[in-house]
Amino acid sequence: MSDKIEKILQNVTDHLRLDERLDASRISIDYHEGTIKLNGLVPTMEARNVAEADIVQLEGVEQVENNLQIEPSGKPEIPSDEELKKKIKDTIYFNNQLDYSKIDVVVNKGKVTLIGSVDSYSHKSILDELISRIEGVVSVIDEVSVVPSENLTDRSLAQEILDVLQDNQLISDDLKIQVENGRVTISGTVANWNLNNQIYKTVARVDGVAEIINELIVSQK
Amino acid sequence: MAIKTNNIKKNIIDQLYWDDRVVASDIDVNVMDGEVELVGTVPTYGARLAAEADAVVVPGVRNVANNLNVKYPATDVMPTDDEITSNIENVFNWNNNLDLSSMKVYTEQGSVNLEGSVTSIWRKILAEDLALSVKGVVNVKNKLSVVPGKDVVDEVVAEDIVNALDRNQMINVEDVDVKVDNGIVTLTGTVSDWHTRLQVYNTALYTRGVIDIRDQLVIKIV
């Protein structure tokens, strides 16, 4: 293995080991032509996301293939499906932004399916984030639809999104926004993953957005 | 290049209008020499923070004074203080990053008090974030102390942070200075934009042994 690849692997290992949020003891990594593959086990979906987010920014890493599987650590005991469903429903109920009466939860061996509706795209993101933190959740199928309360025409929504990106210093020359029935397609190139995420998160918070298709390409020039 | 006050105010108001977490018509924005004041009401504590976050990224803004009050819609059925406390304790229990046994939660008229200790600063922030997302919460007073579990050596913490910054292809590590004193991290130097600043801050935040962070980074537009 070349020195360069060894260094990249070492960096990834160090970075995962030093992030206090992660127990990286069950994670192993592979490198192949710029792609880092994450293999092994983590206790929650949140940890899975954190591991991936941690390493996309590292030198030498062009892509991340996240094969991490969720296996709850078992302390305390792994909850039954009924217990998990109650925890999830309570979590949604406690949250001051979500309307629990419009969201239904089905749990089968730790696999969660979410059905129903929320009134904005950012609420859908909040929902996914809340669920991913709960230990015992092995996977999430999110079939919640977004029914926006704002009724903007596609054209004015596209313009609003561009204005917002401008205000947040996220606009670039080849960034393109297309809107069709509230479904937003973002395309163009950005210099790094951080910008990619910032743009996505900013668009997700705009009133009227029902769905986002992110076709941004991350490419350093 | 001095950015006109009118532009700053307009941009902040635009930010608040498009942000669906915030009801912009209930918020007044006052701007003077880049100093911003937010006055009015918001429906949740999270919205209060969202409004501030929206204002802070606008070019020309030097500082934001957040004087917004949290006022839940009159139609909402509010939980009692005991219910709020119990709900927060459940949320903490279900999060595998927090140890409820070393923490204490109590609520007075929607104002939540967090006491006790956690082992790292990001857990302190996590506890506050989780608490403020609970229905009925009007304010969170975070008095959690950060007591790292193991012996912490300042030099090691500083080295860990610097190495992590160096590995990050977005950050120019030569422009950032990291000092650690009894677990308190001071960040000085320059970054090119707000997003990079956040990256540097977060790198320090999740490093083992950090008790607090003083962020004195300056955004220098190249």
Side-chain angles (χ1 to χ4, degrees):
Chain A
M1 196 187 296
S2 77
D3 276 349
K4 189 169 161 223
I5 295 177
E6 277 233 29
K7 184 100 176 59
I8 294 173
L9 283 172
Q10 187 61 53
N11 283 346
V12 172
T13 306
D14 284 343
H15 217 76
L16 292 175
R17 185 174 50 85
L18 290 175
D19 186 329
E20 251 220 311
R21 294 170 294 176
L22 274 183
D23 171 12
S25 59
R26 298 184 293 169
I27 299 179
S28 65
I29 51 176
D30 265 323
Y31 177 91
H32 182 67
E33 285 173 10
T35 300
I36 289 281
K37 297 186 196 185
L38 290 171
N39 303 312
L41 304 165
V42 282
T44 61
M45 289 199 66
E46 187 188 21
R48 188 179 187 274
N49 295 337
V50 165
E52 183 174 335
D54 265 355
I55 64 183
V56 282
Q57 302 282 18
L58 300 184
E59 302 261 2
V61 175
E62 284 163 46
Q63 287 230 66
V64 176
E65 190 184 295
N66 193 341
N67 302 321
L68 289 170
Q69 303 288 313
I70 318 292
E71 190 186 86
S73 60
K75 5 175 225 250
E77 281 168 22
I78 297 171
S80 67
D81 282 345
E82 292 76 46
E83 283 168 352
L84 196 50
K85 178 171 172 169
K86 181 173 190 315
K87 254 191 219 184
I88 295 172
K89 293 195 85 157
D90 281 348
T91 301
I92 298 173
Y93 178 72
F94 296 158
N95 187 283
N96 58 16
Q97 295 194 64
L98 298 173
D99 183 355
Y100 72 98
S101 65
K102 295 196 181 136
I103 303 170
D104 251 309
V105 180
V106 177
V107 182
N108 186 4
K109 297 197 185 95
K111 295 184 218 178
V112 177
T113 307
L114 301 167
I115 327 168
S117 71
V118 286
D119 65 14
S120 69
Y121 198 78
S122 66
H123 284 177
K124 189 164 158 136
S125 303
I126 290 171
L127 184 59
D128 288 341
E129 201 183 302
L130 283 180
I131 310 298
S132 75
R133 289 178 180 165
I134 300 175
E135 189 147 349
V137 171
V138 161
S139 67
V140 177
I141 298 175
D142 183 350
E143 290 179 0
V144 172
S145 58
V146 177
V147 180
S149 45
E150 272 274 345
N151 266 324
L152 289 170
T153 63
D154 286 342
R155 190 134 67 120
S156 48
L157 182 55
Q159 187 56 53
E160 191 152 297
I161 291 172
L162 285 170
D163 286 345
V164 157
L165 291 172
Q166 176 91 44
D167 283 346
N168 278 277
Q169 307 181 63
L170 288 170
I171 206 89
S172 70
D173 288 334
D174 73 343
L175 191 67
K176 197 166 141 191
I177 303 287
Q178 288 160 286
V179 184
E180 196 185 315
N181 292 331
R183 177 167 24 136
V184 180
T185 306
I186 314 171
S187 52
T189 33
V190 281
N192 56 63
W193 282 103
N194 194 41
L195 280 173
N196 181 9
N197 291 340
Q198 291 296 332
I199 291 172
Y200 182 87
K201 279 189 204 171
T202 303
V203 174
R205 287 204 293 264
V206 177
D207 248 321
V209 169
E211 197 187 327
I212 299 180
I213 298 171
N214 187 354
E215 292 180 352
L216 286 171
I217 297 171
V218 177
S219 157
Q220 289 191 316
K221 277 149 207 173
Chain B
M1 166 190 70
I3 301 181
K4 291 204 177 129
T5 295
N6 281 347
N7 282 345
I8 297 176
K9 181 167 171 169
K10 180 189 181 308
N11 286 341
I12 295 175
I13 291 173
D14 283 347
Q15 289 276 80
L16 297 175
Y17 261 101
W18 65 253
D19 191 334
D20 65 15
R21 298 167 296 181
V22 166
V23 180
S25 49
D26 293 339
I27 299 177
D28 277 319
V29 179
N30 300 320
V31 183
M32 170 99 90
D33 285 338
E35 301 281 326
V36 177
E37 191 201 6
L38 300 173
V39 188
T41 59
V42 280
T44 64
Y45 194 64
R48 188 179 188 275
L49 296 180
E52 185 175 330
D54 283 344
V56 146
V57 288
V58 169
V61 169
R62 268 198 259 246
N63 192 27
V64 177
N66 190 340
N67 295 327
L68 292 166
N69 291 319
V70 176
K71 198 170 142 192
Y72 281 85
T75 46
D76 276 9
V77 174
M78 298 313 283
T80 64
D81 284 339
D82 281 343
E83 281 171 344
I84 293 175
T85 298
S86 155
N87 292 344
I88 292 176
E89 283 172 349
N90 274 331
V91 169
F92 284 178
N93 237 343
W94 298 339
N95 187 301
N96 69 349
N97 288 319
L98 294 175
D99 179 7
L100 187 60
S101 65
S102 62
M103 299 162 68
K104 188 175 155 192
V105 182
Y106 62 94
T107 309
E108 280 161 349
Q109 289 179 303
S111 180
V112 175
N113 293 276
L114 301 176
E115 289 176 5
S117 68
V118 285
T119 55
S120 38
I121 183 184
W122 64 269
R123 289 193 168 96
K124 176 175 174 171
I125 295 172
L126 173 65
E128 185 171 329
D129 282 348
L130 291 176
L132 66 84
S133 72
V134 168
K135 212 172 288 195
V137 171
V138 160
N139 189 21
V140 176
K141 290 183 194 153
N142 192 345
K143 299 178 224 167
L144 287 165
S145 57
V146 179
V147 180
K150 294 177 186 164
D151 283 336
V152 167
V153 177
D154 287 341
E155 288 78 25
V156 172
V157 175
E159 199 180 310
D160 282 347
I161 296 174
V162 169
N163 286 339
L165 294 176
D166 195 19
R167 288 191 288 265
N168 190 314
Q169 51 188 325
M170 268 195 65
I171 297 170
N172 212 348
V173 71
E174 292 98 51
D175 294 338
V176 175
D177 187 60
V178 179
K179 281 200 173 48
V180 184
D181 188 14
N182 287 330
I184 300 177
V185 177
T186 304
L187 300 168
T188 51
T190 56
V191 285
S192 54
D193 57 44
W194 187 264
H195 308 293
T196 308
R197 182 180 183 167
L198 200 55
Q199 281 274 294
V200 176
Y201 180 87
N202 283 344
T203 301
L205 185 65
Y206 297 118
T207 301
R208 190 179 322 268
V210 173
I211 292 176
D212 199 2
I213 303 178
R214 307 231 167 102
D215 175 8
Q216 295 168 3
L217 291 166
V218 169
I219 298 171
K220 193 166 169 184
I221 302 164
V222 178

